[in-house]
Amino acid sequence: MRDYNRKLVEIVASQALKKMKKDPKRELRRLVDFGKTMAKGNNQNEFFDLAQDIIESENSKYYTMLDSIFGKFDNKKLKEFSLNFGYNGLIRGAKKIQDNMDFNISWMHEFSEKDLSKDDLNSEINNLKDRGIYIYTIFPNDKNHLDKVEEIARKNQDCAFIMFLNDIDIPNNIIKLDNLIMLIDSKSMKQLDNLDMKNFVGIWHSFSDSNYKEILDGKLARVCENNNLPFLIFVNDKASKDVEREIAEYAYRERFKPKYAAFTIEYENDIRRINKMILNKNVKPKLQNADAKN
C-alpha cells in the first residue's frame, strides 16, 4: 500500500535540500516547523518544540554541524538516509511498535560481528521491519563482513544503517550506499590527516573508568569540530554506573547547549531514552560489550 505521508515528506525534503545550501538557517527552521505539523502525540510534539528552541539562536552550533553534513554528501544520500531514519524509523516504525505494544524490542537494532556471519540476516531484517525496526547499527570487525553489509543495505533500501568502524580501509561500493553512514573509531584519530573525512559523519569512542575524562574536557568534541565531523557517540566499555551516568549527563547537556559543533550521544542511554519516549517503557536495547566490538 502506498505511503502518502512519506511521499509528502519526500517532496518537502527534496525542496528543502535544494534551498538549504542558499539559506540553511531559514530552511532548517522551516523543516522543524513542518516536522511539528506532522508530529503525532505528546512526545513528538515535545521533541519539535525543543528543536525550535535549540536552533533559535543565530549562532547555534547546529548550523555549523549542518554545514558539515552538506559538505559531505549529495542531496540524494541526504534525502534517502534522512527519510529512512526519520520517517521510516522514528515515525512509521515507531507507530508499528506503539500499535503492537511491543515492549520487548528497541527502535534501533544492533548487528554484531557474530550476527554478520549469519546466512539468513535478510530474513531477520524482514521480521524486524514487520515489528517496526528500520534503523540498524553495525559493528564489523572483519573486512570479510563488508560484503554482508553491502548485501543487507542494498536489499533493504527502506532502512538506515550506521556503521561503527575499526578498520579504515573501506571500498567505494560501501561508501556510495545512500542508506548507510559511517563513524570512525577514536583510536584512529592519529590517522585523521590521511583519511578522506568526506566519508565519515563522526567519531565513536568506547569509554571506561580509565579514559572518560577526555570526553568531559571536550577533547573529542574539538576534534570533531576541527575535522567537520558533526556526530560524536560514546559507547560504554564496562564503565562503572557512576561514570556511565556522568557521560550520559554530559552528552545530554551538550546537545542543548553545545560548546563545539558535535552532536553528542551516549549510545545505550540515549537509545533507551527514545524507547521510553515511544512506549513510555524503559526497554533495554540489544547491545554488545564495547570490548567485543574492538
Side-chain angles (χ1 to χ4, degrees):
M1 186 171 68
R2 192 177 184 88
D3 188 337
Y4 290 102
N5 281 335
R6 169 162 173 135
K7 192 64 181 177
L8 173 61
V9 173
E10 189 172 345
I11 292 169
V12 172
S14 295
Q15 293 172 343
L17 286 170
K18 290 177 183 178
K19 297 176 182 177
M20 194 79 79
K21 292 185 178 180
K22 295 180 180 178
D23 192 347
K25 295 181 180 180
R26 180 181 178 184
E27 282 307 308
L28 180 59
R29 289 170 180 158
R30 197 175 77 86
L31 272 180
V32 170
D33 290 343
F34 174 74
K36 185 167 173 58
T37 67
M38 297 289 291
K40 296 179 180 179
N42 291 334
N43 285 327
Q44 288 184 18
N45 276 297
E46 288 173 9
F47 170 80
F48 284 108
D49 284 340
L50 187 59
Q52 287 173 328
D53 291 341
I54 289 173
I55 63 174
E56 185 176 356
S57 170
E58 287 289 324
N59 298 318
S60 172
K61 288 289 186 179
Y62 280 91
Y63 295 122
T64 306
M65 297 179 209
L66 193 66
D67 287 340
S68 296
I69 292 171
F70 272 93
K72 291 176 178 295
F73 305 121
D74 59 28
N75 285 0
K76 183 173 180 291
K77 178 155 187 163
L78 284 171
K79 184 180 76 172
E80 291 303 315
F81 187 87
S82 298
L83 286 172
N84 287 356
F85 189 99
Y87 181 78
N88 288 356
L90 295 180
I91 295 178
R92 178 185 172 197
K95 187 176 186 305
K96 282 187 182 181
I97 295 172
Q98 290 166 342
D99 289 347
N100 295 332
M101 296 299 287
D102 197 343
F103 297 118
N104 297 313
I105 196 167
S106 169
W107 63 280
M108 178 185 283
H109 188 84
E110 178 184 311
F111 287 130
S112 66
E113 179 182 11
K114 183 178 179 180
D115 292 318
L116 292 171
S117 300
K118 295 178 181 177
D119 293 330
D120 58 346
L121 203 52
N122 280 299
S123 176
E124 182 175 343
I125 291 174
N126 286 333
N127 291 332
L128 287 166
K129 285 194 289 186
D130 287 341
R131 298 175 69 182
I133 311 305
Y134 292 86
I135 304 171
Y136 300 90
T137 56
I138 305 173
F139 289 83
N141 283 341
D142 192 317
K143 288 181 181 180
N144 294 329
H145 293 142
L146 294 180
D147 288 340
K148 176 66 76 172
V149 171
E150 181 181 8
E151 176 192 335
I152 62 175
R154 290 193 185 280
K155 289 187 176 180
N156 296 278
Q157 296 287 331
D158 54 350
C159 294
F161 296 92
I162 305 166
M163 190 155 65
F164 291 66
L165 291 171
N166 295 314
D167 196 316
I168 60 176
D169 186 16
I170 305 298
N172 283 332
N173 54 327
I174 296 288
I175 293 170
K176 291 178 180 178
L177 292 169
D178 288 334
N179 59 342
L180 181 144
I181 60 172
M182 299 183 293
L183 297 108
I184 188 169
D185 188 347
S186 62
K187 296 181 181 66
S188 300
M189 285 195 303
K190 292 180 181 179
Q191 304 177 60
L192 287 179
D193 290 341
N194 299 322
L195 296 176
D196 184 354
M197 287 296 99
K198 202 169 183 181
N199 297 331
F200 302 95
V201 298
I203 290 172
W204 73 280
H205 177 76
S206 59
F207 68 91
S208 64
D209 288 9
S210 63
N211 71 355
Y212 75 99
K213 289 186 178 179
E214 63 185 312
I215 295 174
L216 301 178
D217 67 12
K219 175 185 174 183
L220 291 169
R222 287 194 296 273
V223 170
C224 284
E225 182 172 83
N226 292 339
N227 289 278
N228 296 319
L229 297 168
F231 293 95
L232 176 58
I233 300 181
F234 310 121
V235 179
N236 190 341
D237 183 9
K238 298 181 180 178
S240 66
K241 288 293 183 182
D242 287 343
V243 167
E244 179 185 12
R245 187 181 307 110
E246 194 168 358
I247 297 303
E249 289 173 354
Y250 167 84
Y252 185 80
R253 185 172 62 250
E254 287 296 310
R255 285 202 294 276
F256 299 113
K257 291 187 178 180
K259 297 182 184 71
Y260 304 98
F263 189 87
T264 50
I265 298 168
E266 200 287 320
Y267 185 72
E268 184 169 347
N269 279 277
D270 284 319
I271 289 176
R272 282 205 300 258
R273 190 187 302 277
I274 297 177
N275 282 335
K276 193 172 181 179
M277 289 175 64
I278 292 173
L279 286 172
N280 293 320
K281 287 283 185 179
N282 197 6
V283 183
K284 185 176 178 67
K286 176 199 167 190
L287 300 174
Q288 312 295 323
N289 288 333
D291 59 346
K293 296 168 182 135
N294 293 328

